[in-house]
Amino acid sequence: MTIKLYCFGESGNAYKAALALELSGLDWQPVKVDFFNGETRSAEYRANVNAMGEAPVMIDGPVTLTQSGVIQDYVAEKSGKFGGKDSDERREILRWILWDNHKLSSAAGMTRFLMNFLPEDKRPQEVIGFMQGRLKAAYEVLNTHLEGRDWIVGDCLTNADLTCCGYLYYPETFGFDRGDWPHIDAWLTRLSNTPGWKAPYDLMPGSPADRA
């Protein structure tokens, strides 16, 4: 049975789940969520897809899951990939997923939205500056950790990598320049050289160009 992933190209959190599915080799297909026209806020979406009003949502037969980290964990369990080699690695992967969700992706997603998807006259510059400061601190943590390492946890690609990269391949500006962070840059290049890797707008339906 084909796994369905409710997603849209602009979402870094959806990209984490989509990339895990794509690289896992599992049979899956994207279902476009029309986020910018309010689909996730509709009563129908909340009743039939996700009561939290968010994407991504994964449906695999009787199994419905929300939140990218949970979906990634399911993909690892089903495919035998990305979940770590032992309990120590699994806990370390979880640590990085939680760190990313709180420190990196949450700030990157908000800052990218404020800088690119709001009308220019409505962009709160003080908030953006504050968020970019938080992002810089997160980049420093990740860049330092990756010095001398190929991957965030262990010696192969795991869900720790697939969660932390979620927003870092997007072309829109939000305060991240790969050239400023050489260990992150090398890691992102390594990840994108993985067979089957695709950039967000190539992997999921929907992009800013569709609304131009």
Side-chain angles (χ1 to χ4, degrees):
M1 181 176 293
T2 299
I3 297 171
K4 293 182 179 180
L5 184 73
Y6 285 76
C7 58
F8 59 101
E10 296 91 339
S11 169
N13 287 319
Y15 180 56
K16 300 171 190 180
L19 189 59
L21 284 164
E22 184 72 10
L23 296 180
S24 73
L26 296 174
D27 183 25
W28 77 285
Q29 66 180 37
V31 177
K32 184 180 179 180
V33 174
D34 194 357
F35 174 84
F36 288 93
N37 282 320
E39 182 178 356
T40 59
R41 298 187 296 277
S42 70
E44 180 180 3
Y45 187 90
R46 289 175 181 266
N48 299 321
V49 182
N50 184 2
M52 294 179 179
E54 298 175 338
V57 178
M58 188 212 74
I59 299 177
D60 184 17
V63 178
T64 297
L65 296 174
T66 69
Q67 302 299 320
S68 60
V70 176
I71 296 170
Q72 288 175 311
D73 183 68
Y74 180 86
V75 170
E77 182 179 338
K78 186 159 186 170
S79 70
K81 299 179 180 179
F82 316 134
K85 294 179 179 178
D86 54 34
S87 58
D88 288 340
E89 285 196 2
R90 286 193 292 274
R91 282 191 293 270
E92 185 69 358
I93 290 166
L94 178 60
R95 187 172 79 98
W96 280 98
I97 289 174
L98 294 172
W99 174 83
D100 165 71
N101 286 187
H102 181 57
K103 297 290 189 179
L104 179 55
S105 283
S106 59
M110 176 62 71
T111 308
R112 176 170 159 265
F113 181 84
L114 295 177
M115 292 181 68
N116 297 278
F117 300 133
L118 286 182
E120 190 169 354
D121 62 346
K122 296 185 182 301
R123 297 172 185 173
Q125 297 305 318
E126 289 187 4
V127 175
I128 289 170
F130 173 79
M131 296 300 290
Q132 287 180 329
R134 290 179 63 86
L135 278 171
K136 183 178 179 181
Y139 301 149
E140 288 174 347
V141 170
L142 183 58
N143 191 67
T144 298
H145 179 75
L146 284 166
E147 184 175 4
R149 299 173 182 265
D150 287 343
W151 306 106
I152 293 177
V153 175
D155 58 4
C156 62
L157 177 66
T158 71
N159 281 330
D161 304 290
L162 296 177
T163 192
C164 289
C165 79
Y167 280 91
L168 303 185
Y169 287 114
Y170 279 97
E172 297 87 16
T173 182
F174 57 92
F176 174 65
D177 183 339
R178 285 174 59 164
D180 293 338
W181 310 99
H183 307 306
I184 295 177
D185 181 44
W187 163 72
L188 288 174
T189 299
R190 194 174 301 115
L191 207 167
S192 63
N193 286 335
T194 301
W197 178 89
K198 292 181 181 178
Y201 295 136
D202 295 329
L203 186 57
M204 300 178 292
S207 75
D210 296 338
R211 303 189 307 280

